[in-house]
Amino acid sequence: MSEVMTEPESGPGTVADAGTGSADAGPGAVDAPAAAAPLGVEREPTGLPAVDALLERLAEADHLTADGHLAVYEDVHRGLRAELTTLDAHPASAPRPHDPRS
């Protein structure tokens, strides 16, 4: 076993430096969140106006930084669950007239 292990290169622009920010950032420096960027996801209408309105609300996340997405996603998720619940609810049936043949 005569394999020689070498240390990977490190420095600005190398894999070891990836994601650490600028080369002149001192120890303990915190990277700022990335700027907002639209994802460009197309939304197709579902035919249900309430659901379509909730899905359009997702477009608001395109203008927020990543840390603001959670509030929008949770709100839309809550609304979609409520819509599913109303779709699953059975309408109350009208009372049946008394049938004496029972």
Side-chain angles (χ1 to χ4, degrees):
M1 295 201 178
S2 61
E3 293 180 25
V4 177
M5 304 226 16
T6 60
E7 292 292 320
E9 291 183 32
S10 64
T14 63
V15 175
D17 184 53
T20 61
S22 63
D24 57 351
V30 177
D31 289 337
L39 295 176
V41 176
E42 294 183 30
R43 294 167 193 86
E44 294 184 27
T46 63
L48 298 170
V51 172
D52 291 337
L54 287 165
L55 293 178
E56 282 300 315
R57 181 150 168 21
L58 289 174
E60 293 177 18
D62 285 347
H63 307 290
L64 301 172
T65 56
D67 58 350
H69 290 188
L70 183 61
V72 174
Y73 294 158
E74 285 180 342
D75 183 51
V76 170
H77 183 255
R78 194 175 310 115
L80 289 173
R81 285 184 62 117
E83 285 301 312
L84 282 173
T85 300
T86 60
L87 290 173
D88 287 341
H90 298 289
S93 59
R96 291 186 236 160
H98 178 65
D99 188 3
R101 296 181 284 158
S102 55

